[in-house]
């Protein structure tokens, strides 16, 4: 059991930290519009920080997962944004590596790594959220492959995306999990219509996607026809598994900001604030070191440990608690927003945004159900 | 970073679990709890099992403490290893058998006579004093606090057992009237040794708490799989399943923190305060609330004397009480987070405008 970095890991961390500090000036407000995000993703790629743990033959650096974790920690610490292609890089890419044909590997992976091919994930529908297997978007046979009709919602970054990993029903007769298929759909194909949805925080990061007679080539099927459920589960496993350390690293940076806020506002000796912050710290360190355990299991056995299933659940609750505390510390000033507010309304924004944490990527209820059934072996609830 | 148990550590843990489950079925634990409170015969076997091997590092002791908590190991191993052993080690003396430690620095005076040292005074509560070979006592001497050993059935020593919430960890009031005592460590060496022991017992307490939490979760999960109501296993009701999922999360986070604290204390004892505080807070909370969830899930059965759950709850509550004798973990953490150095570290770099 080793808590610190190995020599190689330590050197990697130092070089990365130096590089990041040259890229992101400390203390300066950061506005990351989509153009800046794209530029950022490109520079990550050029500096060799995209696809750290992807296999070398697929353009990655083939490094152990620990290096991805170090990247997550250092970039959170530096206040760096997500890669604009976070879905492509962390979720779709690994799924293509597992299920893709040679042609698909060659077509998509280089662009995903360089940030040129941005992916979104079209799983959820108005009537299929938690119950993902009930997707109704239909793909019917068409001379070129499939013709797709339906509607997707909450698709993050669909307004920026070039492609979508789309879950569709190819066999309406088959029950639920059967008869689903995954497609790699061109977002610029005729019949694809993207309508931004505004989140409660005011951000417009997710979208409604209307699909009307969209023609998708037969070569765009990812994995076997009818096995879309398995393919989608691979994507979700990557979403929920390897993302854990990124989340706790961000939480850690956020707690530091809260401590800074508390000190600035002179609340550092308020016993209730001290107690609540200390409790958050315990929760955060618990998540952090549990993430390390899951990572070590992943490196040892090739499977993330069962512990990883609680990371997203724990993170979402802790983050919500943290931002709620920030507003309490702001007191009456929490009512302000915009340039007049403390840190231009940073905490107000974070608090509103935090409410999505326990919904996106699987609701807390669904995640508890997964722990209960798959980790604890309790009987199914349905 | 490679934060996982190695092969040897996994084997040690599995062997300990096997030994404890073979030796201490629930019936025996219940019998000992309601009777004498300890297994007085097991020490030689424990030595054979290697639980006192000098090569054991803190992380390995942590794993044994965790297994001990799971099994409610009814042998005074924890007090020996967590509290008394470091004193014998510092003195370069062999461990005489199971031993405990108490702070008599304000209530007990040591006097040096021609025949050796003798102790006089009182300590209100000494953990497991009645089940050990020697009691190590911090007592005052003209040169400061020193550490002595007395035998519980020696001349001038009287013990009065005090009823306790955890009957497997009975404490006793100790009265000494000119009791002959062995000097283990003289005044100047005592302070640092006692400070190190305080950090050590906190880590081993957190580990034991994790073991308690882990075992009661297992009990509750097993029950939820088999008990049926309304024609289905109660574990298929979300209100039940989700409470157990939350307990699972609490156990795993606490376990990570306990292992981490053991590593940090072994490697950088002076830097360990925050890690220990996290481990203690999370461990106690996981154990106490884990027992409470298990009690809810097991319904009426769970709150009977017959059903063994209360044995672990009693252990959890006694660990919580013992932890209260140490520093307040949340205050330790807040103290570290709100130092001026922390403010400097945060200044600028992380502050969004
Ligand atoms: C910010 C954000 C970004 C997102 N990005 C994407 C994306 O890029 N691509 C994509 O495909 N999707 C995305 N989603 C969708 C997300 O995965 C779904 O919102 C989520 O799975 C929940 O589905 P739902 O919104 O339909 O809610 P429902 O499933 O209708 O749930 C409503 C409530 O009922 C509860 N519930 C439902 N079923 C059960 C059950 N079996 N047991 C107990 N409680 C239950 C839920 O926990 C929830 O509290 C995003 C969502 C958010 C908020």
């Amino acid at each position: 059991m080793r808590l610190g970095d190995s020599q190689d890991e330590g050197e990697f961390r130092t070089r990365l930290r130096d590089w990041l500090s040259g890229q992101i000036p400390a203390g300066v407000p950061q506005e990351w519009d989509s153009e800046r995000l794209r530029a950022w993703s490109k520079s990550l790629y050029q500096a060799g920080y995209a696809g750290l743990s992807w296999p070398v033959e697929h353009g990655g650096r083939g490094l152990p997962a620990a290096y991805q974790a170090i990247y997550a920690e250092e970039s959170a610490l530096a206040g760096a944004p997500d890669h604009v292609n976070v879905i492509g890089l962390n979720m779709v890419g690994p799924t293509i590596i597992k299920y893709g044909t040679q042609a698909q590997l060659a077509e998509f992976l280089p662009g995903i790594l360089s940030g040129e091919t941005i992916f979104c994930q079209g799983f959820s529908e108005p009537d299929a959220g938690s119950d993902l297997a009930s997707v109704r978007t239909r793909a019917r046979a068409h001379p070129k492959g499939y013709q797709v009709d339906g509607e997707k919602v909450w698709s993050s970054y669909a307004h920026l995306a070039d492609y979508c990993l789309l879950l569709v029903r190819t066999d309406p007769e088959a029950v639920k999990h059967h008869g689903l298929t995954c497609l790699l759909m061109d977002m610029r194909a005729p019949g694809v219509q993207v309508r931004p949805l505004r989140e409660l925080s005011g951000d417009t990061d997710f979208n409604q996607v209307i699909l009307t007679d969209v023609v998708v080539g037969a070569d765009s099927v990812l994995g076997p026809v009818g096995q879309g459920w398995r393919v989608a589960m691979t994507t979700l496993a990557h979403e929920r598994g390897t993302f854990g350390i990124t989340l706790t690293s961000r939480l850690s940076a956020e707690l530091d900001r809260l401590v800074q806020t508390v000190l600035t506002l002179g609340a550092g000796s308020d016993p209730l604030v001290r107690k609540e912050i200390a409790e958050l710290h315990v929760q955060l360190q618990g998540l952090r070191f549990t993430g390390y355990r899951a990572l070590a299991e992943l490196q040892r056995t090739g499977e993330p440990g069962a512990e990883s299933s609680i990371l997203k659940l724990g993170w979402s609750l802790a983050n919500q608690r943290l931002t709620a505390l920030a507003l309490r510390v702001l007191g009456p000033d929490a009512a302000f927003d915009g340039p007049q507010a403390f840190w231009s309304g940073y905490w107000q924004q974070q608090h509103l945004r935090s409410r999505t944490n326990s919904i996106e990527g699987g609701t807390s209820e669904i995640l508890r159900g997964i722990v209960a059934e798959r980790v604890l072996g309790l009987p199914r609830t349905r | 970073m490679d934060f996982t148990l190695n092969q040897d550590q996994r084997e040690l843990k599995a062997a300990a679990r096997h030994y404890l489950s073979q030796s201490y079925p629930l019936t025996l634990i219940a019998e000992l709890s309601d009777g004498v409170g300890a297994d007085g015969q097991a020490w030689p076997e424990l030595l054979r099992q290697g639980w006192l091997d000098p090569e054991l590092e803190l992380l390995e002791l942590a794993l044994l403490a965790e297994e001990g908590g799971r099994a409610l190991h009814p042998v005074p191993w924890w007090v020996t290893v967590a509290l008394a052993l470091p004193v014998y080690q510092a003195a370069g003396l062999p461990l005489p058998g199971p031993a405990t430690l108490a702070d008599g620095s304000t209530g007990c005076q040591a006097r040096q006579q021609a025949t050796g040292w003798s102790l006089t005074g009182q300590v209100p509560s000494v953990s497991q004093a009645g089940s050990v070979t020697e009691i190590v006592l911090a007592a005052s001497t003209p040169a400061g606090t020193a550490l002595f050993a007395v035998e519980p059935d020696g001349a001038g020593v009287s013990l009065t057992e005090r009823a306790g919430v955890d009957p497997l960890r009975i404490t006793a009031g100790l009265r000494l009237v000119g009791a002959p005592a062995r000097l283990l460590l003289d005044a100047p060496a005592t302070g640092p040794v006692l400070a190190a022991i305080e950090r050590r017992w906190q880590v081993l307490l957190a580990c034991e708490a994790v073991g308690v939490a882990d075992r009661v979760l297992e009990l509750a999960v097993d029950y939820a799989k088999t008990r049926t109501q309304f024609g289905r296993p109660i574990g298929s009701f979300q209100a039940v399943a989700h409470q157990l999922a939350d307990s699972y999360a609490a156990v795993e986070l606490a376990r990570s923190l306990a292992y981490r604290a053991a590593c940090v204390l072994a490697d950088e004892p002076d830097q360990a305060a925050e890690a220990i505080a996290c481990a203690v807070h999370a461990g106690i909370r996981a154990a106490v609330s884990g027992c409470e969830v298990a009690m809810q899930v097991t319904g009426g059965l769970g709150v009977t004397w017959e059903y063994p759950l209360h044995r672990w709850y009693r252990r959890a509550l006694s660990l919580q009480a013992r932890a209260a004798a140490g520093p307040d973990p949340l205050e330790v953490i807040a103290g570290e987070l709100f130092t001026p150095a922390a403010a400097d570290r945060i200044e600028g770099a992380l502050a969004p405008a």
Side-chain angles (χ1 to χ4, degrees), chain A residues 259-294:
Chain A
V259 168
Q260 169 72 18
T261 300
V262 168
L263 288 170
T264 308
L265 297 176
S269 54
D270 179 327
L272 291 178
V273 171
R274 290 172 75 85
K275 176 171 179 289
E276 178 83 351
I277 289 209
E279 285 197 352
L280 279 166
H281 176 83
V282 175
Q283 185 70 7
L284 159 61
Q285 297 289 54
L287 289 167
R288 178 170 161 215
F289 286 92
T290 301
Y292 292 170
R293 274 172 63 211

Side-chain angles (χ1 to χ4, degrees), chain A residues 1-2 4 9 27 77 257 260 274 278-279 281 285 289-290 293 297 300 343 368 376-377 380-381, chain B residues 1-4 10 225 236 242 246 252-253 256 260 274 285 330-331 333 345-346 348 350 352-353:
Chain A
M1 187 169 269
R2 180 161 49 78
E9 289 165 354
L77 211 63
R257 292 188 190 108
Q260 169 72 18
R274 290 172 75 85
E279 285 197 352
H281 176 83
Q285 297 289 54
F289 286 92
T290 301
R293 274 172 63 211
E297 280 306 296
R300 197 170 68 85
W343 282 359
R368 287 193 184 96
L376 300 179
R380 292 181 72 90
T381 47
Chain B
M1 135 190 32
D2 182 19
F3 190 47
T4 189
R10 270 194 294 273
K225 285 180 188 169
S236 70
H242 286 189
D246 283 339
E252 290 305 333
L253 301 191
S256 305
R260 172 205 179 209
E274 173 267 342
R285 182 163 283 193
L330 295 181
E331 215 12 81
I333 293 165
R345 179 171 55 82
I346 295 158
L350 290 172

Side-chain angles (χ1 to χ4, degrees), chain B residues 102-105 107-113 115-123 135-142 144-151 154-158 174-185:
Chain B
D103 183 4
S105 55
C108 294
Q109 282 79 42
R111 199 165 301 123
Q112 195 168 19
Q113 288 149 332
T115 49
W117 289 89
S118 74
L119 300 183
T120 297
Q122 297 194 36
V123 185
I135 299 167
V136 179
L137 211 59
S140 66
T141 74
T145 301
L147 284 156
F148 298 89
V150 297
E151 290 172 17
V157 180
S158 56
L174 173 67
R175 226 175 107 83
L176 302 161
V177 186
R182 271 198 312 149
L183 176 68
L184 299 179
L185 273 186

Side-chain angles (χ1 to χ4, degrees), chain A residues 40-297:
Chain A
W40 170 247
S41 295
K42 195 164 173 197
S43 61
L44 274 179
Y45 170 67
Q46 284 163 347
Y49 293 120
L52 290 170
S53 56
W54 282 29
V56 177
E57 69 264 33
H58 297 308
R61 285 181 58 185
L63 293 170
Y67 289 77
Q68 190 61 44
I70 292 171
Y71 175 79
E73 289 182 344
E74 291 301 320
S75 66
L77 211 63
D82 264 340
H83 193 282
V84 64
N85 200 15
V86 50
I87 292 179
L89 210 53
N90 295 336
M91 289 136 69
V92 179
T95 312
I96 294 180
I97 289 174
K98 181 155 178 198
Y99 287 103
T101 61
Q102 284 306 322
Q104 288 169 339
L105 295 171
E107 183 180 352
F108 292 107
L109 297 185
I112 290 178
L113 280 174
S114 66
E116 276 151 41
T117 312
I118 297 178
F119 260 92
C120 65
Q121 177 196 18
F123 287 3
S124 306
E125 296 182 7
D127 292 327
S130 299
D131 186 11
L132 189 57
S134 63
V135 297
R136 279 198 240 154
T137 291
R138 272 296 312 272
R140 295 182 180 79
H142 180 275
K144 291 199 176 135
Y146 293 96
Q147 175 184 325
V148 181
D149 289 278
E151 180 184 341
K152 294 286 171 182
V153 274
W154 325 126
S155 306
S156 302
Y157 310 115
H159 57 301
L160 302 176
D162 305 292
Y163 280 87
C164 177
L165 178 64
L166 192 72
L167 185 65
V168 296
R169 184 160 296 283
T170 35
D171 182 355
E173 308 297 317
V175 282
K176 282 211 126 176
H177 304 73
H178 308 278
L180 296 174
T181 300
C182 273
L183 301 174
L184 298 160
M185 181 186 74
D186 185 345
M187 289 296 283
R188 306 220 165 70
V192 178
Q193 198 190 351
V194 177
R195 294 188 188 146
L197 294 167
R198 197 154 177 220
E199 287 168 54
L200 80 169
S201 56
D203 295 332
T204 46
D205 285 341
F206 60 22
N207 307 268
Q208 182 185 25
V209 181
I210 313 273
L211 304 166
T212 320
D213 300 342
V214 182
V215 176
V216 178
D219 57 353
S220 302
V221 174
L222 181 63
V225 173
Q227 297 289 318
W229 183 253
R230 246 175 54 207
V231 179
M233 286 305 114
T234 304
T235 309
L236 290 184
H238 279 279
E239 174 168 6
R240 288 165 190 167
T242 43
F243 213 45
I245 291 185
T246 305
L247 296 177
T248 46
S249 310
R250 297 247 182 87
L251 190 59
S252 180
E254 197 80 321
L255 188 63
D256 278 352
R257 292 188 190 108
L258 180 56
V259 168
Q260 169 72 18
T261 300
V262 168
L263 288 170
T264 308
L265 297 176
S269 54
D270 179 327
L272 291 178
V273 171
R274 290 172 75 85
K275 176 171 179 289
E276 178 83 351
I277 289 209
E279 285 197 352
L280 279 166
H281 176 83
V282 175
Q283 185 70 7
L284 159 61
Q285 297 289 54
L287 289 167
R288 178 170 161 215
F289 286 92
T290 301
Y292 292 170
R293 274 172 63 211
L295 184 72
E297 280 306 296

Side-chain angles (χ1 to χ4, degrees), chain B residues 12 51-53 56-66 77 81-82 85 200 204 207:
Chain B
L12 174 75
W51 283 55
L52 279 305
D53 281 358
L56 289 177
E57 303 205 9
L58 189 59
L59 182 60
E60 273 114 40
L61 295 177
L63 300 177
L64 294 177
E66 182 187 341
W77 175 85
V81 167
L85 181 63
R200 178 183 172 96
L204 294 176
C207 294

Side-chain angles (χ1 to χ4, degrees), chain B residues 245-301:
Chain B
D246 283 339
S247 278
Y248 170 78
V251 176
E252 290 305 333
L253 301 191
R255 177 177 284 136
S256 305
L257 290 171
Y259 292 177
R260 172 205 179 209
C263 290
V264 178
L265 182 56
D267 295 344
E268 296 173 278
D270 296 334
Q271 308 290 312
E274 173 267 342
I276 293 173
C278 287
V280 169
H281 184 74
I284 295 295
R285 182 163 283 193
V288 172
S289 74
C291 289
E292 288 165 357
V293 164
M295 235 170 257
Q296 186 66 24
V297 165
T298 47
L301 177 68

